[in-house]
Amino acid sequence: MPQPVALAPSPAAAPAAVVVAETATDKTPPAAPREPAPAAAAAAAAAPPAVVEKPAKPVAPKAEAKLYGSRTLAQWITRVVLLAVGAVAAAGILVLAARGVTTLPGVPEFLERYPGEYELPPTAEPGFPWWAQWAHFFNIFLMVLIIRSGYQVRTQQKPPAYWTPKRGGKKISITLWLHQSLDILWLANGLIFSALLFATGHWMRIVPTSWEVFPNALSALLQYMTLDWPVENGWVNYNSLQQLMYFLVVFIAAPLAAITGVRMSEFWPKNAKTLNKTYPVEVARAIHFPTMLFFVLFILIHVFLVFATGALRNLNHMFAGTDQVNWAGFWLFAAAIAITTAGWYAARPIVLAPIAKLFGKVSSR
């Protein structure tokens, strides 16, 4: 009798078997939880209850310090203090070095031969005429505002207003308009001063007329550095160092500032290719700013020496036109400083806009 053949399960039957097995497994009752160990239970009972922390209150963001230019007020004060300390230390070193130089062989004889000044031609007139006094005051007023506006043009990122010429042209910031307008007045003042200087013969006061100006200037510099300063008699004759510096300011630095300023302004012809290639604007920019720094340094040293070498007499020379020692020149100088300060604070868009509108269009963009 034939034996029955065992049939292999079909592929469809295999999953069914797995399902049955899984179902049987799911019905298995879960294991009972273990009892905690006595030590663990005691530790859990002794632990303090968890403390729920309250959410911290939001902290208001700290206000940023106001910037004056590229630095805060505290940073500027720190910088000024460090510069002042460094300047005092450097000055002390220079004084000691200069005093040591005066003890070298031949130096005392050099100082005796060249006292610091030479005699002017007999036709040179002493004193300061009225036009020189007015030009000096007007120059102070203009130079302060020119330096201020020039620095603003260099550092200002978003101008407060713009100005456009009436006849059309490039739109510029109102600060640049102020700077260029002041430059025109400054140039006019300088041309009038120079014309009167040569017309009256007073040019001999600031233009060297002898080669002795150079050794005398060196002698005057050495005397200044030792704090044993040369005798001042500016009513009659400047010392040679003063003469060279005034010549440098009037006839070299001022024209240099004017030439470089014109090259950077809108008055310069833009389509003159040969001229622009010969005199690139980059050259003008590289010279113009250092020239301004030279003027700032000169003004600081000049004012310091005016007060350190006989303030009342020196101020009378340039503001009162007299060689007497009284307070007239001082009060005129104080009035000049007050007017200059008022001009400093008045140089703002709210004041400048009505004036600028007389010569063009003022807009906020």
Side-chain angles (χ1 to χ4, degrees):
M1 181 174 184
Q3 296 292 329
V5 179
L7 297 178
S10 65
V18 174
V19 172
V20 173
E22 288 181 353
T23 304
T25 304
D26 290 343
K27 291 181 179 180
T28 304
R34 296 182 179 180
E35 291 294 332
V51 178
V52 179
E53 295 184 358
K54 295 182 179 180
K57 294 182 179 180
V59 180
K62 195 174 182 180
E64 295 184 0
K66 184 178 179 181
L67 292 178
Y68 297 86
S70 59
R71 295 176 175 84
T72 64
L73 180 59
Q75 290 173 335
W76 278 117
I77 292 175
T78 303
R79 191 178 183 87
V80 171
V81 170
L82 291 176
L83 288 175
V85 172
V88 171
I93 295 172
L94 288 176
V95 170
L96 294 176
R99 288 183 177 274
V101 170
T102 58
T103 62
L104 297 176
V107 176
E109 292 78 10
F110 172 82
L111 295 175
E112 185 177 356
R113 181 179 177 182
Y114 300 103
E117 65 180 23
Y118 64 93
E119 292 185 4
L120 296 180
T123 55
E125 296 183 3
F128 300 87
W130 65 269
W131 53 265
Q133 299 168 41
W134 274 101
H136 189 258
F137 156 70
F138 203 35
N139 191 63
I140 292 174
F141 178 82
L142 292 174
M143 283 297 297
V144 169
L145 296 185
I146 286 173
I147 292 172
R148 176 180 184 264
S149 59
Y151 180 77
Q152 286 179 324
V153 169
R154 187 177 178 87
T155 59
Q156 204 170 55
Q157 296 181 356
K158 185 178 180 181
Y162 295 88
W163 178 84
T164 307
K166 284 185 176 180
R167 297 182 179 179
K170 183 179 178 181
K171 182 188 297 185
I172 61 176
S173 70
I174 196 171
T175 309
L176 181 57
W177 170 83
L178 172 64
H179 186 71
Q180 294 182 354
S181 301
L182 293 170
D183 285 341
I184 295 174
L185 296 176
W186 181 67
L187 288 174
N189 182 55
L191 291 174
I192 294 172
F193 173 78
S194 299
L196 293 173
L197 195 69
F198 285 98
T200 59
H202 275 78
W203 62 270
M204 288 177 283
R205 298 290 303 274
I206 63 174
V207 178
T209 57
S210 171
W211 290 107
E212 291 187 358
V213 66
F214 295 106
N216 276 292
L218 180 59
S219 174
L221 177 61
L222 189 58
Q223 293 176 61
Y224 278 123
M225 292 175 64
T226 59
L227 300 184
D228 186 14
W229 294 348
V231 177
E232 295 289 339
N233 192 16
W235 182 259
V236 177
N237 186 16
Y238 292 127
N239 67 55
S240 293
L241 184 60
Q242 289 175 314
Q243 188 180 51
L244 286 178
M245 290 304 301
Y246 294 149
F247 177 83
L248 178 63
V249 168
V250 175
F251 297 108
I252 296 180
L256 197 60
I259 294 171
T260 55
V262 170
R263 177 63 182 90
M264 297 163 58
S265 72
E266 295 303 312
F267 300 106
W268 187 266
K270 300 297 185 292
N271 297 325
K273 295 182 179 180
T274 304
L275 185 59
N276 292 337
K277 186 176 181 181
T278 305
Y279 184 20
V281 68
E282 292 79 12
V283 174
R285 290 196 183 101
I287 296 174
H288 195 73
F289 184 68
T291 304
M292 186 200 74
L293 296 180
F294 166 79
F295 275 113
V296 172
L297 181 63
F298 170 80
I299 291 171
L300 293 175
I301 296 175
H302 177 66
V303 172
F304 170 76
L305 290 177
V306 164
F307 281 88
T309 59
L312 295 181
R313 187 180 184 187
N314 291 332
L315 292 175
N316 272 349
H317 288 175
M318 286 311 305
F319 289 93
T322 177
D323 193 33
Q324 298 178 2
V325 180
N326 55 41
W327 289 85
F330 174 83
W331 293 117
L332 290 173
F333 168 75
I337 296 300
I339 294 173
T340 304
T341 304
W344 177 288
Y345 284 100
R348 302 183 180 191
I350 192 172
V351 179
L352 296 177
I355 303 174
K357 286 180 180 178
L358 298 176
F359 306 95
K361 178 184 175 182
V362 178
S363 60
S364 58
R365 292 185 179 180

